[in-house]
Every structure is written in C-alpha cells, then in structure tokens.
C-alpha cells in the first residue's frame, strides 16, 4: 500500500504541475480513497474512487473527486496484450481526444467523454495509471434499465456514437496527416486470442463450437435450415477472420470503441427517469475499423430482441442523422444511409463472434454462476488429454444453460432476417 500511495502521490504531483487540475492550481496536497465507493475490478484494470486535495495559487484548498484506473495482469490476457490495451486508453485521452476536439462542431467530446486528469502507460503495472474526473459529480450513473433497455436509451447512445464516428471522418478529411499519426500509434490487439482466453476456449475446434452453439438450433428449423450455408462457412474459419473484420477498414474506417456496451457507459436522467445524456469510457480496445463494429456490438449485446427487430431501421437512421449533422460541413463526403446499412450487413458478423464467445461467461457472471472452468492439460497422457477435451467441449456447448443457447440462436435468426452478408 505504501508503494502504491507513493505512486499516486507522484502522479498527482505531475498532473498538478501539468495543469491537469486547472491553471489556478499551485500543487497537489493529498489523496483520500473513498472506501465506501470503491470500484469493482474490471477485466484488465483495477478501479478506485477518491478525492484529491489541491492548493490553489491564492492558497485556498480545493477538493476534486476522481476516478482512478491502474493496470492489473488479468489471468486471461498475456502481459503484452494487457500493456497494449492500457497504452491505447492513455493514447485515446492524451492524443486522440485533443486531435478530434479541433473538429468537434457539436461539442460531443465535452459532453460524452470523461475529462482526463493524468495518464501514463509505460508497460509496467506498478506505474501505468489513468486518472479521470468522477462523472458521478455531474449526475451520471450506470444504466437504470439494464435488463430492459428502452428505445430512448438506444437512440441516445446511437446519436452520440454517430457524432463520435463523424469526428474521425471529418478529421481524416481536414487533417489526414494528423489522423494517420495518431492511428499509427494504436496497438493492434489479437482479438481472437484475447476473446478465446476470456471465454475459456482452448483450441480452434472449441472456438468454432462456441460459434456454432447459436447456429445448431436453426439447423432443425424449417424456416432457417436452408439459409445457413454461408454463415456456417464463415464461422468455420472465424478464428482466422477476426483480424480482417477488426482491422480490415484501416484505410477508410473510423476510430471505434471496440467494446461498446453498457458496462462502458453512464447516463444522466431527468427526475422522471428519462435519459438525457450518456458518456462513454474504457477505451482500451480502440482501433481503426468499420463503424459497424460499435453499432452491432451495442445492438446485439444490449438491445432487447423485440426492439432490435422492431426498431432496427429506425435506430440506424438515428445513428446516420447524428453522423450527418456532425459532418454538415462536408455534405458531399457524408456516407449515405445505404452505405452504412451495407457495411453493417457485411461486418456485423464480427459482433456475433464476440457475443457467442464472451456471452456465456458474461451471462454466468451477471447471474451469480461460476465462470467456465478451463481444464489443466499439462502433464496429461494422450487418453487423459482426450477425455479432458471432450468434457471441455461439452462445457462449451452448454455453459450458462439453455437460456444462453436460445439468446445466441436469436441473434443468428436476426442476422439472417436482416440479410447480413457472410461471404468472405
């Protein structure tokens, strides 16, 4: 604890000198952890709330609430991947946001993203840190309707997402060299490897089986069984297609969040519970990719089945209207709604990959169930290894129970009903 407190003190001293707390601040005084508001450990970070006491240049004391993230070595991530993720988040706040701010005519960055105090990423968990202003002080809180997201939440999120993506298009048009400079500093993640480890998948065979878990129920349904060939071929080769979908739009894509779901958002509400603002955070998985990666990730993970079907076209129109409004100074370069829809149909399968491989564990975690148990294979003879893998494969097919299987199958039905394109 003493070493950690010294670390925080050093970083806060640096932040105060750099103006992270305001130009009127003279120096950092102390940090007090809010023990009653401790954050939960995230998958690749430890989080903590607290208050910083500062001395202003006029000698008055000022207390500012903050949110702190430090790197932890998650068991499912290799150290290089963990380092790359933390690097990307610090890059986002220290270099990408300042660049995009120059093109932000709708002020979306100030209203929809946390304010950075200090960020450092050198590939050492004991030193890497991100300090942000505490969003709760502005009235933000986690989604209050998580289990039954309504259309107001969905439309608010897609409106802000459209404006965020538009900043990349605009920056590329107005400052292509600046955009490429920050893009070149992003570190590519091995999505397939990271998702496999998180979901408990050991081989390409059980990776494939995890994807087919949502397909197999439809193989018995008359309405769908003759429409699965292209999807089956795609999922058979999904491990090798991960990078293509994640990074295949580098020359024309936008800065995507990469893990765009409710766990990485907070909302502000009216007294009657109507959401009026949303903020996005946790940018460790950013990349240059298709806007479809964020749109479909959110709609597949978070939108209720009935709303996803009934409001799909309306939701995409909300996204596109926001995109066009943010880019109104470049009318002839705004992607058409038809272009956006086609891109989603081509790239949306990537969101199903993530959903099928991560959702069994996420569902289990949310419902108080154990996460999937990965067998220890070291030292086993051939017969023992075969039995262990057979048992694990059965686990992959059933983890989280029939409810998870049906949720995956429903997403497959949705993709087919909306004419997603699976050729590669």
């Amino acid at each position: 604890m003493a070493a950690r407190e010294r670390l925080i003190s050093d970083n806060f001293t640096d932040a105060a000198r750099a103006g992270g707390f305001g130009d009127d601040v003279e120096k950092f005084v102390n940090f007090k952890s809010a023990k009653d508001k401790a954050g939960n450990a995230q998958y690749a970070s430890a989080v903590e709330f607290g208050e910083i006491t500062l001395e202003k240049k006029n000698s008055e004391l000022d207390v500012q609430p903050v949110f702190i993230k430090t790197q932890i070595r998650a068991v499912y991530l290799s150290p290089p991947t963990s380092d790359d993720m933390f690097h990307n988040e610090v890059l986002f706040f220290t270099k990408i946001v300042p660049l995009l701010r120059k093109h932000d005519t709708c002020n979306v960055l100030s209203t929809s993203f946390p304010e950075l105090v200090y960020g450092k990423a050198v590939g050492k968990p004991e030193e890497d840190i991100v300090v942000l202003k505490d969003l709760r002080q502005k009235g933000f809180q986690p989604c209050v309707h998580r289990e039954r997201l309504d259309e107001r939440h969905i439309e608010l999120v897609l409106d802000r997402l459209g404006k965020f993506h538009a900043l990349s298009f605009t920056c590329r048009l107005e400052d292509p060299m600046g955009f490429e400079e920050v893009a070149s500093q992003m570190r590519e993640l091995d999505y397939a490897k990271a998702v496999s480890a998180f979901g408990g998948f050991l081989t390409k065979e059980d990776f494939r089986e995890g994807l087919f878990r949502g397909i197999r129920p439809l193989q018995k349904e008359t309405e769908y069984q003759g429409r699965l060939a292209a999807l089956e071929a795609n999922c058979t080769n999904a491990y090798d297609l991960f990078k293509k979908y994640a990074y295949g739009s580098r020359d024309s894509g936008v800065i995507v969040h990469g893990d765009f779901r409710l766990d990485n958002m907070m909302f502000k509400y009216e007294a009657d519970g109507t959401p009026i603002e949303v903020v996005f955070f946790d940018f460790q998985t950013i990349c240059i990719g298709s806007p479809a990666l964020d749109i479909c990730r959110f709609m597949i993970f978070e939108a209720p089945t009935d709303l996803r079907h009934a409001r799909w076209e309306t939701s995409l129109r909300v996204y596109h209207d926001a995109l066009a409004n943010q880019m109104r100074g470049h009318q002839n370069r705004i992607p058409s709604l038809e272009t956006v829809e086609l891109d989603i149909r081509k790239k949306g399968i990537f969101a199903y990959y993530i959903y099928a491989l991560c959702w069994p564990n996420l569902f289990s975690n949310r419902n108080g169930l154990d996460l999937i148990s990965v067998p220890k294979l070291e030292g086993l003879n051939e017969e023992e290894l075969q039995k262990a893998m057979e048992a694990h494969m059965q686990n992959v097919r059933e983890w989280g129970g029939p409810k998870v299987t049906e949720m995956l199958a429903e997403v497959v039905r949705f993709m087919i009903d909306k004419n997603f394109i699976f050729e590669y």
Side-chain angles (χ1 to χ4, degrees):
M1 180 61 72
R4 181 183 170 283
E5 288 178 348
R6 286 195 299 272
L7 168 65
I8 291 177
S9 296
D10 290 345
N11 286 328
F12 287 160
T13 297
D14 292 344
R17 289 172 179 167
F21 299 108
D23 295 335
D24 61 341
V25 169
E26 178 68 26
K27 64 180 180 179
F28 164 75
V29 178
N30 63 46
F31 169 76
K32 181 180 179 181
S33 177
K35 296 298 184 183
D36 60 325
K37 298 178 180 178
N40 296 320
Q42 297 177 324
Y43 298 114
S45 304
V47 299
E48 182 179 358
F49 295 96
E51 293 180 339
I52 296 175
T53 300
L54 306 158
E55 182 180 320
K56 293 186 175 182
K57 292 179 179 178
N58 62 6
S59 299
E60 292 180 359
L61 295 181
D62 179 38
V63 178
Q64 295 191 16
V66 294
F67 172 75
I68 303 169
K69 295 181 67 174
T70 52
Q71 188 187 166
I72 57 176
R73 295 300 196 196
V75 294
Y76 74 95
L77 288 177
S78 66
T81 299
S82 183
D83 292 342
D84 289 346
M85 291 173 66
F86 214 88
H87 164 89
N88 283 348
E89 179 148 40
V90 172
L91 177 71
F92 179 81
F93 283 109
T94 59
K95 295 188 178 181
I96 294 175
V97 168
L99 175 66
L100 296 182
R101 195 177 299 281
K102 300 174 184 177
H103 312 278
D104 188 7
T105 57
C106 293
N107 201 31
V108 66
L109 292 172
S110 296
T111 57
S112 298
F113 296 86
E115 184 179 348
L116 177 72
V117 172
Y118 183 82
K120 180 181 181 181
V122 294
K124 297 179 181 179
E126 66 275 12
E127 295 185 28
D128 291 353
I129 189 169
V130 173
V131 184
L132 305 168
K133 297 286 183 71
D134 188 350
L135 293 166
R136 297 172 306 166
Q137 302 303 309
K138 295 184 177 180
F140 287 95
Q141 60 179 299
C143 180
V144 299
H145 301 296
R146 181 180 191 106
E147 300 307 319
R148 184 64 185 174
L149 205 65
D150 60 27
E151 31 186 284
R152 176 54 186 158
H153 281 85
I154 292 172
E155 292 180 1
L156 178 62
V157 168
L158 292 179
D159 174 85
R160 299 302 187 271
L161 182 64
K163 291 174 181 175
F164 172 54
H165 286 168
L167 291 176
S168 293
F169 285 122
T170 303
C171 184
R172 270 199 136 131
L173 291 170
E174 297 179 354
D175 184 9
M177 292 182 63
F179 186 88
E180 289 305 317
E181 182 180 354
V182 296
S184 68
Q185 296 178 56
M186 292 184 196
R187 295 182 182 173
E188 291 189 1
L189 307 178
D190 190 334
Y191 274 98
K193 187 175 181 179
V195 170
S196 296
F198 175 79
F201 299 92
L202 299 176
T203 66
K204 287 187 178 182
E205 183 180 6
D206 61 353
F207 182 98
R208 173 184 176 276
E209 193 63 28
L211 298 179
F212 269 73
R213 183 176 178 179
I215 297 174
R216 296 201 189 283
L218 278 68
Q219 293 173 338
K220 303 175 183 179
E221 298 178 10
T222 303
E223 182 180 357
Y224 293 100
Q225 59 188 196
R227 304 160 66 186
L228 298 172
L231 175 59
E232 290 172 343
N234 183 295
C235 289
T236 297
N237 296 284
Y239 192 96
D240 298 319
L241 290 173
F242 244 91
K243 187 170 184 177
K244 171 186 174 181
Y245 285 116
Y247 298 108
S249 302
R250 190 171 183 88
D251 293 335
S252 59
V254 299
I255 298 171
V256 298
H257 183 287
D259 191 17
F260 197 66
R261 54 195 176 91
L262 284 179
D263 285 335
N264 297 323
M265 303 176 196
M266 295 180 75
F267 294 84
K268 183 183 289 186
Y269 293 91
E270 294 276 22
D272 64 358
T274 301
I276 55 174
E277 290 291 349
V278 61
V279 289
F280 310 142
F281 53 91
D282 204 4
F283 291 89
Q284 297 187 352
T285 52
I286 56 170
C287 68
I288 304 298
S290 163
L293 305 187
D294 281 345
I295 298 169
C296 290
R297 183 76 184 274
F298 174 70
M299 292 297 289
I300 285 177
F301 266 77
E302 309 297 357
T305 299
D306 56 347
L307 278 182
R308 189 190 306 128
H309 278 272
R311 304 287 296 177
W312 178 251
E313 287 76 15
T314 300
S315 297
L316 297 188
R317 199 169 297 114
V318 168
Y319 169 86
H320 184 264
D321 287 348
L323 180 86
N325 183 56
Q326 178 78 29
M327 293 185 64
R328 58 183 179 271
H330 299 277
Q331 290 292 336
N332 61 333
R333 303 298 295 273
I334 299 172
S336 68
L337 177 59
E338 293 72 24
T339 298
V340 171
E341 290 175 329
L342 179 61
D343 190 51
I344 286 172
R345 289 168 54 215
K346 289 181 176 180
K347 306 286 177 55
I349 180 64
F350 179 83
Y352 174 71
Y353 290 174
I354 304 289
Y355 188 63
L357 298 169
C358 293
W359 186 242
N361 259 351
L362 288 171
F363 177 88
S364 299
N365 184 55
R366 290 182 184 180
N367 290 275
L369 306 174
D370 292 334
L371 300 185
I372 193 167
S373 178
V374 179
K376 304 288 187 182
L377 304 180
E378 296 81 4
L380 300 183
N381 60 39
E382 186 173 342
E383 181 179 354
E384 292 170 334
L385 181 62
Q386 182 177 351
K387 288 182 178 180
M389 287 306 300
E390 287 175 354
H392 180 62
M393 187 72 76
Q394 190 63 30
N395 243 349
V396 166
R397 297 188 186 103
E398 300 176 354
W399 201 257
K403 176 67 173 177
V404 169
T405 301
E406 177 52 32
M407 293 173 80
L408 299 184
E410 183 52 44
V411 171
V412 174
R413 293 187 190 97
F414 174 80
M415 291 191 298
I416 293 174
D417 290 344
K418 296 301 181 182
N419 298 312
F420 277 42
I421 298 169
F422 308 117
E423 288 83 0
Y424 57 93

